[in-house]
Amino acid sequence: MKYRIVVLGAGYAGAFAAGNLARRLSPADTDITVVNAEPDFVERMRLHQLAIGQDLAFRKLADVFAGTGVRLRLARVTGVHPERRTVAVTGEDGDGELAYDTLLYALGSSVAHHGVPGVAEYAFDVTGRASALRLRRRLAGLGEGGTVLVVGEGLTGIEAATEFAESRPDLSIALAARGELGAWLSPRARRHLRQAFDRLGITVHEHTGIEAVEPTRALAADGTSIPADVTVWSAGFAVHPIAAASGLEVAGTGQIVVDRTMRSVSHPDVYAAGDCAYAIAENGRPLPMSCASAGYTNMQATAAIIARLTGSKVPTIGLKYHGNHISLGRRDAIFQMVDTDVRSKSWYLGGRTAARLKSGVLKGAAWGIAHPTFGMPKRKRRLATAPEHAGVRAAA
């Protein structure tokens, strides 16, 4: 019987991880299955572009994993049972269970409503393809002078507001920030950001917490009513409660608590990567939910899985957050470096050069997903012991 590795999720973390595992482990010993609800790889970092009407090409996961030895199961995960080492799924083939010897949990995150009244009923978001397409249809129906309010001054909110304003100058775009716009940026980068907002005609409501969303407006904490034909909620991310419900040890955020190798501290047969992993960076702070963190955590998780299965020393992958790369439409961007304490350095890169760099990062990530076994070694690594003893070995 082959050693069974199941990867939950085929986003930036899961897809890369599955490719790494297939590239380095011998198919004679291992059976790798990826479970994903979507048939395509979705570039989450570009969903604000999809929402405003830009056409994006989506890669079929069946094509991505063709010839790699990775099995694709199109299904939604409904539960994880770590004591039995099984995953419950539902899809076109009905309900079922997948057994595993090692599980890599990479289900990502979705929009966080924070319990604000009206968000679930009336707000839109860009955290998934279905929600981005729903917003796309709504924005397409807005005529000249329509009002759009983006709630949240983080990277998603800034990128959405600037993309919308650049693509649809006929709309009135506003952004509600709980604090100061770009407060975490260096002074020069902050000025660049404000100049971009001014150039694009975006209204900024600083120090404005939104406490309720209604069909045609949002209500601020101070009682101010902000008109909004469309409210786009980008005030943070939340992970699916499946991990917490499974009995895995989770943090207050619902993320799976992992050790330095991305292995669950409560269940050694389970690893986590991406937004759903509560991983402590080298500065002693949790890694933020981001594409960059997905890269670091999936590389560490796959390196640890491969090393433990092949009897090698587990390598340490650097867990550092280097900076923020923020698109400001298609022709402008900011790249802000940070220090080890995640404080902005004085140096930043802005303008078209930063925009080209961001475009290159996005294209590179997409290319890597599309070629999961690129550079595949001629001789893949065999497991250290026979597959039938995999359960005992994984717990070691």
Side-chain angles (χ1 to χ4, degrees):
M1 180 178 178
K2 293 184 180 181
Y3 189 95
R4 300 160 300 184
I5 301 175
V6 174
V7 180
L8 302 184
Y12 289 106
F16 273 122
N20 279 334
L21 292 168
R23 181 165 59 241
R24 298 168 63 187
L25 290 174
S26 172
D29 296 338
T30 54
D31 184 1
I32 302 169
T33 301
V34 175
V35 181
N36 200 64
E38 291 258 7
D40 306 323
F41 171 68
V42 176
E43 293 184 75
R44 184 171 179 176
M45 292 191 293
R46 299 183 65 190
L47 287 178
H48 55 288
Q49 296 175 243
L50 178 67
I52 199 58
Q54 298 173 28
D55 293 325
L56 305 180
F58 292 95
R59 292 173 173 81
K60 293 289 184 184
L61 289 171
D63 296 335
V64 167
F65 293 121
T68 66
V70 174
R71 296 183 183 180
L72 175 64
R73 177 72 179 267
L74 293 179
R76 181 171 56 87
V77 177
T78 58
V80 175
H81 308 289
E83 304 306 328
R84 302 202 310 264
R85 285 194 238 172
T86 62
V87 176
V89 300
T90 184
E92 293 182 355
D93 298 331
D95 298 339
E97 278 196 341
L98 293 174
Y100 66 83
D101 296 304
T102 287
L103 178 70
L104 178 54
Y105 189 110
L107 288 179
S109 62
S110 58
V111 66
H113 293 166
H114 301 300
V116 176
V119 172
E121 296 84 358
Y122 305 119
F124 296 78
D125 68 84
V126 291
T127 58
R129 181 165 66 170
S131 59
L133 287 172
R134 174 173 169 261
L135 175 57
R136 180 187 177 115
R137 292 189 292 269
R138 181 70 181 94
L139 292 174
L142 282 185
E144 183 175 355
T147 56
V148 178
L149 175 66
V150 178
V151 180
E153 69 274 28
L155 306 187
T156 302
I158 291 173
E159 292 197 336
T162 52
E163 195 78 46
F164 297 169
E166 180 180 87
S167 298
R168 289 288 305 274
D170 60 311
L171 299 178
S172 177
I173 310 294
L175 182 141
R178 295 192 68 89
E180 179 186 350
L181 179 66
W184 74 92
L185 296 171
S186 63
R188 291 178 59 218
R190 195 179 312 141
R191 285 195 296 272
H192 187 114
L193 177 63
R194 288 186 176 277
Q195 288 168 359
F197 269 58
D198 290 343
R199 170 174 53 83
L200 293 168
I202 302 171
T203 301
V204 180
H205 301 278
E206 293 184 310
H207 308 289
T208 302
I210 300 301
E211 293 199 341
V213 176
E214 297 181 356
T216 59
R217 66 175 183 169
L219 301 177
D222 62 2
T224 302
S225 174
I226 303 175
D229 295 318
V230 176
T231 297
V232 181
W233 194 261
S234 58
F237 303 102
V239 299
H240 199 285
I242 285 178
S246 71
L248 294 165
E249 183 173 335
V250 299
T253 57
Q255 296 167 289
I256 298 171
V257 180
V258 295
D259 63 16
R260 184 58 180 78
T261 67
M262 302 301 119
R263 185 159 66 169
S264 165
V265 297
S266 62
H267 293 79
D269 298 318
V270 178
Y271 292 74
D275 287 355
C276 55
Y278 188 79
I280 304 302
E282 294 174 13
N283 60 8
R285 303 177 183 179
L287 281 171
M289 295 186 187
S290 68
C291 183
S293 298
Y296 305 142
T297 54
N298 98 70
M299 287 190 292
Q300 179 62 78
T302 53
I305 292 170
I306 292 165
R308 289 188 172 115
L309 293 184
T310 59
S312 306
K313 181 180 178 180
V314 177
T316 298
I317 307 298
L319 299 179
K320 294 181 180 180
Y321 195 73
H322 297 285
N324 298 312
H325 204 160
I326 316 165
S327 294
L328 305 174
R330 295 298 84 211
R331 298 180 294 277
D332 194 5
I334 291 173
F335 182 57
Q336 175 68 71
M337 297 291 290
V338 300
D339 61 19
T340 55
D341 291 323
V342 201
R343 293 177 301 197
S344 294
K345 296 182 178 180
S346 59
W347 178 88
Y348 90 102
L349 182 67
R352 289 183 179 270
T353 301
R356 287 193 290 268
L357 178 59
K358 178 64 178 285
S359 177
V361 169
L362 293 174
K363 290 178 180 178
W367 190 92
I369 293 291
H371 302 81
T373 54
F374 177 76
M376 186 168 56
K378 293 181 179 180
R379 296 184 61 186
K380 296 189 179 184
R381 300 176 68 177
R382 301 295 300 269
L383 301 194
T385 56
E388 56 264 30
H389 301 304
V392 175
R393 183 176 57 257

